[in-house]
Coordinates of all heavy atoms in Angstrom, one line a residue:
L486 N 31.6 16.3 -0.7 CA 31.3 17.7 -0.4 C 30.2 17.8 0.7 O 29.1 17.1 0.5 CB 30.9 18.4 -1.6 CG 31.9 18.5 -2.8 CD1 31.3 19.3 -4.0 CD2 33.2 19.2 -2.3
P487 N 30.3 18.6 1.7 CA 29.4 18.6 2.8 C 28.1 19.4 2.6 O 27.8 20.3 3.3 CB 30.2 19.1 4.0 CG 31.1 20.1 3.3 CD 31.5 19.5 2.0
F488 N 27.4 19.1 1.5 CA 26.1 19.7 1.3 C 25.2 18.8 0.5 O 25.7 17.9 -0.2 CB 26.3 21.1 0.7 CG 26.5 21.0 -0.8 CD1 25.4 21.3 -1.7 CD2 27.7 20.7 -1.4 CE1 25.6 21.2 -3.1 CE2 27.9 20.6 -2.7 CZ 26.8 20.9 -3.6
D489 N 23.9 19.1 0.6 CA 22.9 18.3 -0.1 C 22.3 19.2 -1.2 O 21.5 20.1 -0.9 CB 21.8 17.8 0.9 CG 20.8 16.9 0.2 OD1 20.9 16.7 -1.0 OD2 19.9 16.4 0.9
P490 N 22.7 19.0 -2.4 CA 22.1 19.8 -3.5 C 20.6 19.7 -3.7 O 20.0 20.6 -4.3 CB 22.9 19.3 -4.8 CG 23.4 18.0 -4.4 CD 23.6 18.0 -2.9
T491 N 20.0 18.6 -3.2 CA 18.6 18.5 -3.4 C 17.8 19.5 -2.6 O 16.6 19.7 -2.8 CB 18.1 17.1 -3.0 OG1 18.4 16.8 -1.7 CG2 18.8 16.0 -3.9
H492 N 18.5 20.1 -1.6 CA 17.8 21.2 -0.9 C 17.6 22.4 -1.8 O 16.7 23.3 -1.5 CB 18.7 21.6 0.3 CG 18.6 20.6 1.4 ND1 19.5 20.6 2.5 CD2 17.8 19.5 1.6 CE1 19.2 19.5 3.3 NE2 18.2 18.9 2.8
I493 N 18.4 22.6 -2.8 CA 18.3 23.7 -3.8 C 17.2 23.3 -4.8 O 16.2 24.0 -5.0 CB 19.6 24.0 -4.5 CG1 20.7 24.3 -3.4 CG2 19.5 25.1 -5.5 CD1 22.1 24.4 -4.0
F494 N 17.4 22.2 -5.5 CA 16.4 21.6 -6.5 C 16.3 20.1 -6.2 O 17.3 19.4 -6.2 CB 16.8 21.9 -7.9 CG 16.8 23.4 -8.3 CD1 18.0 24.1 -8.5 CD2 15.6 24.1 -8.4 CE1 18.0 25.4 -8.8 CE2 15.6 25.4 -8.7 CZ 16.8 26.1 -8.9
S495 N 15.1 19.6 -6.1 CA 14.9 18.2 -5.8 C 15.4 17.3 -6.9 O 15.8 16.1 -6.6 CB 13.4 17.9 -5.6 OG 12.6 18.2 -6.7
F496 N 15.5 17.8 -8.1 CA 16.0 16.9 -9.2 C 17.5 16.8 -9.2 O 18.0 16.0 -10.0 CB 15.4 17.3 -10.5 CG 15.9 18.7 -11.0 CD1 17.1 18.8 -11.6 CD2 15.1 19.8 -10.8 CE1 17.6 20.0 -12.0 CE2 15.6 21.1 -11.2 CZ 16.8 21.2 -11.8
L497 N 18.2 17.5 -8.4 CA 19.6 17.4 -8.4 C 20.1 16.2 -7.6 O 20.9 16.3 -6.6 CB 20.3 18.7 -7.8 CG 20.1 20.0 -8.7 CD1 20.7 21.2 -8.0 CD2 20.7 19.7 -10.1
H498 N 19.7 15.1 -8.0 CA 20.0 13.8 -7.3 C 20.4 12.8 -8.4 O 19.5 12.3 -9.1 CB 18.9 13.3 -6.4 CG 19.3 12.1 -5.6 ND1 18.3 11.2 -5.1 CD2 20.5 11.5 -5.3 CE1 18.9 10.2 -4.5 NE2 20.3 10.4 -4.6
L499 N 21.6 12.5 -8.6 CA 22.1 11.6 -9.6 C 22.9 10.5 -8.8 O 24.1 10.7 -8.6 CB 22.9 12.3 -10.7 CG 23.5 11.3 -11.7 CD1 22.4 10.5 -12.4 CD2 24.2 12.2 -12.8
S500 N 22.3 9.4 -8.5 CA 22.9 8.4 -7.7 C 23.6 7.4 -8.5 O 23.5 7.3 -9.8 CB 21.9 7.7 -6.8 OG 20.9 7.0 -7.6
I501 N 24.4 6.5 -7.9 CA 25.1 5.5 -8.6 C 24.2 4.5 -9.2 O 24.3 4.1 -10.4 CB 26.1 4.7 -7.6 CG1 27.2 5.7 -7.2 CG2 26.7 3.5 -8.3 CD1 28.2 5.1 -6.2
W502 N 23.1 4.1 -8.5 CA 22.2 3.2 -9.0 C 21.3 3.9 -10.1 O 20.9 3.2 -11.1 CB 21.3 2.5 -8.0 CG 21.9 1.3 -7.4 CD1 22.5 1.1 -6.2 CD2 21.9 0.0 -8.0 NE1 22.9 -0.2 -6.1 CE2 22.5 -0.9 -7.2 CE3 21.4 -0.5 -9.2 CZ2 22.7 -2.2 -7.5 CZ3 21.5 -1.8 -9.5 CH2 22.2 -2.7 -8.7
G503 N 21.1 5.2 -9.9 CA 20.4 5.9 -11.0 C 21.2 6.0 -12.2 O 20.6 5.8 -13.3
A504 N 22.5 6.2 -12.1 CA 23.4 6.2 -13.3 C 23.4 4.8 -14.0 O 23.4 4.7 -15.2 CB 24.8 6.6 -12.9
A505 N 23.4 3.7 -13.1 CA 23.4 2.4 -13.7 C 22.1 2.1 -14.5 O 22.1 1.5 -15.5 CB 23.6 1.3 -12.6
L506 N 21.0 2.6 -13.9 CA 19.7 2.5 -14.6 C 19.8 3.2 -16.0 O 19.3 2.7 -17.0 CB 18.6 3.1 -13.7 CG 17.2 3.0 -14.3 CD1 16.7 1.6 -14.5 CD2 16.2 3.8 -13.4
G507 N 20.3 4.4 -16.0 CA 20.4 5.2 -17.2 C 21.3 4.5 -18.3 O 20.9 4.5 -19.4
I508 N 22.3 3.8 -17.8 CA 23.2 3.1 -18.8 C 22.4 1.9 -19.4 O 22.5 1.7 -20.6 CB 24.5 2.6 -18.1 CG1 25.4 3.8 -17.7 CG2 25.2 1.6 -19.0 CD1 26.5 3.4 -16.8
T509 N 21.6 1.2 -18.6 CA 20.9 0.1 -19.2 C 19.8 0.6 -20.1 O 19.5 -0.1 -21.1 CB 20.3 -0.8 -18.0 OG1 19.4 0.0 -17.2 CG2 21.3 -1.4 -17.1
F510 N 19.1 1.7 -19.8 CA 18.2 2.3 -20.7 C 18.8 2.7 -22.0 O 18.3 2.5 -23.1 CB 17.5 3.5 -20.0 CG 16.3 3.2 -19.2 CD1 16.2 3.6 -17.9 CD2 15.2 2.4 -19.7 CE1 15.1 3.3 -17.1 CE2 14.1 2.1 -19.0 CZ 14.0 2.5 -17.7
W511 N 20.0 3.2 -21.9 CA 20.8 3.6 -23.1 C 21.1 2.4 -24.0 O 21.0 2.5 -25.2 CB 22.1 4.4 -22.7 CG 22.9 4.7 -23.9 CD1 22.8 5.7 -24.7 CD2 24.1 4.0 -24.3 NE1 23.8 5.8 -25.7 CE2 24.6 4.7 -25.4 CE3 24.8 2.9 -23.8 CZ2 25.8 4.3 -26.1 CZ3 25.9 2.5 -24.5 CH2 26.4 3.2 -25.6
L512 N 21.5 1.3 -23.3 CA 21.8 0.1 -24.1 C 20.5 -0.4 -24.8 O 20.6 -0.8 -26.0 CB 22.3 -1.0 -23.2 CG 23.7 -0.8 -22.7 CD1 24.1 -1.9 -21.6 CD2 24.7 -0.9 -23.8
L513 N 19.4 -0.4 -24.1 CA 18.2 -0.9 -24.8 C 17.8 0.1 -25.9 O 17.3 -0.3 -27.0 CB 17.0 -0.9 -23.7 CG 17.1 -2.1 -22.8 CD1 16.0 -1.9 -21.7 CD2 16.9 -3.4 -23.5
Q514 N 17.9 1.4 -25.7 CA 17.6 2.4 -26.7 C 18.5 2.3 -27.9 O 18.0 2.3 -29.0 CB 17.7 3.8 -26.1 CG 17.4 4.9 -27.1 CD 17.7 6.2 -26.5 OE1 16.8 6.7 -25.7 NE2 18.8 6.8 -26.7
K515 N 19.8 2.1 -27.7 CA 20.7 1.9 -28.8 C 20.3 0.8 -29.6 O 20.4 0.8 -30.9 CB 22.1 1.8 -28.2 CG 23.2 1.7 -29.3 CD 24.6 1.6 -28.7 CE 25.7 1.5 -29.8 NZ 27.0 1.3 -29.2
H516 N 19.9 -0.3 -29.0 CA 19.5 -1.5 -29.8 C 18.3 -1.2 -30.6 O 18.2 -1.7 -31.7 CB 19.3 -2.6 -28.8 CG 18.9 -3.9 -29.5 ND1 19.8 -4.7 -30.2 CD2 17.7 -4.6 -29.5 CE1 19.2 -5.7 -30.7 NE2 17.9 -5.7 -30.3
S517 N 17.3 -0.5 -30.0 CA 16.0 -0.3 -30.7 C 16.1 0.8 -31.8 O 15.2 0.9 -32.6 CB 14.9 0.1 -29.7 OG 15.2 1.3 -29.0
M518 N 17.1 1.7 -31.7 CA 17.2 2.8 -32.6 C 17.9 2.4 -33.9 O 18.1 3.3 -34.8 CB 18.0 4.0 -32.0 CG 17.2 4.7 -30.9 SD 17.9 6.3 -30.5 CE 19.6 6.0 -30.4
V519 N 18.2 1.1 -34.1 CA 18.9 0.7 -35.3 C 18.1 1.1 -36.6 O 18.7 1.5 -37.6 CB 19.2 -0.8 -35.3 CG1 19.7 -1.3 -36.7 CG2 20.2 -1.2 -34.2
S520 N 16.8 0.9 -36.5 CA 16.0 1.2 -37.7 C 15.3 2.5 -37.6 O 14.4 2.8 -38.4 CB 14.9 0.0 -37.8 OG 14.1 0.0 -36.6
M521 N 15.6 3.4 -36.7 CA 15.0 4.7 -36.6 C 15.6 5.7 -37.6 O 16.8 5.6 -37.9 CB 15.1 5.2 -35.2 CG 14.3 4.6 -34.2 SD 14.4 5.4 -32.6 CE 13.5 4.3 -31.5
D522 N 14.8 6.6 -38.0 CA 15.4 7.7 -38.8 C 16.1 8.6 -37.9 O 15.9 8.7 -36.7 CB 14.3 8.4 -39.6 CG 13.3 9.1 -38.7 OD1 13.7 10.0 -38.0 OD2 12.1 8.7 -38.8
P523 N 17.0 9.5 -38.4 CA 17.9 10.3 -37.6 C 17.1 11.3 -36.7 O 17.5 11.5 -35.6 CB 18.7 11.1 -38.7 CG 18.7 10.2 -39.8 CD 17.4 9.5 -39.9
A524 N 16.0 11.8 -37.2 CA 15.2 12.7 -36.4 C 14.6 12.0 -35.1 O 14.7 12.6 -34.0 CB 14.0 13.3 -37.2
Q525 N 14.1 10.8 -35.3 CA 13.6 10.1 -34.2 C 14.7 9.7 -33.2 O 14.6 9.8 -32.0 CB 12.9 8.8 -34.7 CG 11.7 9.0 -35.4 CD 11.1 7.7 -36.1 OE1 11.9 6.8 -36.3 NE2 9.8 7.7 -36.4
A526 N 15.9 9.3 -33.8 CA 17.0 9.0 -32.9 C 17.5 10.1 -32.1 O 17.8 10.0 -30.9 CB 18.1 8.5 -33.8
R527 N 17.5 11.3 -32.6 CA 17.9 12.5 -31.8 C 17.0 12.8 -30.7 O 17.4 13.2 -29.6 CB 18.0 13.7 -32.8 CG 19.2 13.8 -33.6 CD 19.4 15.1 -34.2 NE 18.4 15.5 -35.2 CZ 18.4 15.1 -36.5 NH1 19.4 14.5 -37.0 NH2 17.4 15.5 -37.3
I528 N 15.7 12.6 -30.9 CA 14.7 12.8 -29.8 C 14.9 11.7 -28.7 O 14.9 12.0 -27.5 CB 13.3 12.7 -30.4 CG1 13.0 13.9 -31.3 CG2 12.2 12.7 -29.2 CD1 11.7 13.8 -32.0
M529 N 15.0 10.5 -29.1 CA 15.1 9.4 -28.2 C 16.4 9.4 -27.4 O 16.4 8.8 -26.3 CB 15.0 8.0 -28.9 CG 13.6 7.8 -29.6 SD 12.3 7.8 -28.3 CE 12.7 6.3 -27.5
Q530 N 17.5 10.0 -27.9 CA 18.7 9.9 -27.2 C 18.7 10.6 -25.8 O 19.6 10.4 -25.0 CB 19.9 10.4 -28.1 CG 19.8 11.9 -28.3 CD 20.9 12.4 -29.3 OE1 21.7 11.6 -29.7 NE2 20.8 13.7 -29.7
F531 N 17.7 11.5 -25.6 CA 17.6 12.2 -24.4 C 16.8 11.4 -23.3 O 16.8 11.8 -22.1 CB 17.0 13.6 -24.6 CG 17.9 14.5 -25.4 CD1 17.6 14.7 -26.7 CD2 19.0 15.1 -24.8 CE1 18.4 15.6 -27.5 CE2 19.8 16.0 -25.6 CZ 19.5 16.2 -26.9
M532 N 16.1 10.4 -23.7 CA 15.2 9.7 -22.8 C 16.0 9.1 -21.6 O 15.5 9.1 -20.5 CB 14.4 8.6 -23.5 CG 13.4 9.2 -24.5 SD 12.3 10.5 -23.7 CE 11.5 9.5 -22.4
P533 N 17.2 8.4 -21.8 CA 17.9 7.9 -20.6 C 18.2 8.9 -19.6 O 18.2 8.7 -18.4 CB 19.1 7.3 -21.3 CG 18.8 6.9 -22.7 CD 17.8 8.0 -23.1
I534 N 18.5 10.1 -20.1 CA 18.8 11.2 -19.1 C 17.6 11.6 -18.3 O 17.6 11.8 -17.1 CB 19.3 12.5 -19.9 CG1 20.6 12.1 -20.6 CG2 19.6 13.6 -18.9 CD1 21.2 13.2 -21.5
V535 N 16.4 11.6 -19.0 CA 15.2 11.9 -18.3 C 14.9 10.9 -17.2 O 14.6 11.2 -16.1 CB 14.0 12.0 -19.3 CG1 12.7 12.1 -18.6 CG2 14.2 13.1 -20.3
Y536 N 15.1 9.6 -17.6 CA 14.9 8.5 -16.7 C 15.8 8.6 -15.5 O 15.3 8.4 -14.3 CB 15.1 7.2 -17.4 CG 14.0 6.6 -18.2 CD1 14.1 6.4 -19.5 CD2 12.8 6.3 -17.6 CE1 13.0 5.9 -20.3 CE2 11.7 5.8 -18.3 CZ 11.8 5.6 -19.7 OH 10.8 5.1 -20.4
V537 N 17.0 9.0 -15.7 CA 18.0 9.1 -14.6 C 17.5 10.1 -13.6 O 17.5 9.8 -12.4 CB 19.4 9.4 -15.1 CG1 20.3 9.8 -14.0 CG2 20.0 8.2 -15.8
F538 N 17.2 11.3 -14.0 CA 16.8 12.4 -13.1 C 15.5 12.2 -12.5 O 15.3 12.6 -11.3 CB 16.9 13.7 -13.8 CG 18.3 14.2 -14.0 CD1 19.0 14.1 -15.2 CD2 19.0 14.9 -13.0 CE1 20.3 14.5 -15.4 CE2 20.3 15.3 -13.1 CZ 20.9 15.2 -14.3
V539 N 14.6 11.6 -13.2 CA 13.2 11.3 -12.6 C 13.3 10.2 -11.6 O 12.7 10.3 -10.5 CB 12.2 11.0 -13.7 CG1 10.9 10.4 -13.1 CG2 11.9 12.2 -14.6
M540 N 14.1 9.1 -11.8 CA 14.0 7.9 -11.0 C 15.1 7.8 -10.0 O 15.0 7.0 -9.1 CB 14.1 6.7 -11.9 CG 12.9 6.6 -12.9 SD 12.9 5.1 -13.9 CE 12.6 3.9 -12.6
S541 N 16.1 8.7 -9.9 CA 17.1 8.7 -8.9 C 16.5 8.9 -7.5 O 17.1 8.4 -6.5 CB 18.2 9.7 -9.2 OG 19.1 9.2 -10.1
S542 N 15.4 9.6 -7.4 CA 14.8 9.8 -6.1 C 13.8 8.7 -5.7 O 13.2 8.7 -4.6 CB 14.0 11.1 -6.1 OG 13.0 11.1 -7.1
F543 N 13.7 7.7 -6.6 CA 12.8 6.5 -6.2 C 13.6 5.6 -5.2 O 14.8 5.7 -5.1 CB 12.6 5.7 -7.5 CG 11.5 6.2 -8.4 CD1 11.2 7.5 -8.4 CD2 10.7 5.3 -9.1 CE1 10.2 8.0 -9.2 CE2 9.7 5.8 -10.0 CZ 9.4 7.1 -10.0
P544 N 12.8 4.8 -4.5 CA 13.5 3.9 -3.5 C 14.5 3.0 -4.2 O 14.4 2.6 -5.4 CB 12.4 3.0 -3.0 CG 11.2 3.9 -3.1 CD 11.4 4.7 -4.3
A545 N 15.6 2.7 -3.6 CA 16.7 2.0 -4.2 C 16.3 0.6 -4.7 O 16.8 0.1 -5.7 CB 17.9 1.8 -3.2
G546 N 15.3 0.0 -4.0 CA 14.8 -1.3 -4.4 C 14.2 -1.2 -5.8 O 14.4 -2.1 -6.6
L547 N 13.5 -0.1 -6.1 CA 12.9 0.1 -7.5 C 14.0 0.2 -8.5 O 13.9 -0.3 -9.6 CB 12.0 1.3 -7.5 CG 10.6 1.1 -7.0 CD1 9.9 2.4 -6.9 CD2 9.8 0.1 -7.9
L548 N 15.1 0.9 -8.2 CA 16.2 1.1 -9.1 C 16.9 -0.2 -9.4 O 17.3 -0.5 -10.5 CB 17.2 2.1 -8.6 CG 16.7 3.6 -8.4 CD1 17.8 4.5 -8.0 CD2 16.0 4.1 -9.6
V549 N 17.1 -1.0 -8.3 CA 17.7 -2.3 -8.5 C 16.8 -3.2 -9.4 O 17.3 -3.8 -10.3 CB 17.9 -3.0 -7.1 CG1 18.3 -4.5 -7.3 CG2 18.9 -2.3 -6.3

Side-chain angles (χ1 to χ4, degrees):
L486 299 180
F488 80 101
D489 184 359
T491 59
H492 288 165
I493 304 173
F494 294 109
S495 60
F496 64 83
L497 292 179
H498 184 199
L499 177 54
S500 63
I501 292 176
W502 270 102
L506 178 65
I508 292 171
T509 60
F510 273 126
W511 175 78
L512 287 173
L513 285 175
Q514 176 186 281
K515 184 179 179 182
H516 180 72
S517 64
M518 289 197 316
V519 172
S520 59
M521 288 185 187
D522 62 61
Q525 293 173 337
R527 281 194 295 272
I528 295 173
M529 294 297 295
Q530 66 185 358
F531 293 102
M532 293 308 300
I534 300 176
V535 173
Y536 278 120
V537 167
F538 282 98
V539 169
M540 299 185 66
S541 277
S542 60
F543 280 29
L547 278 172
L548 298 186
V549 171

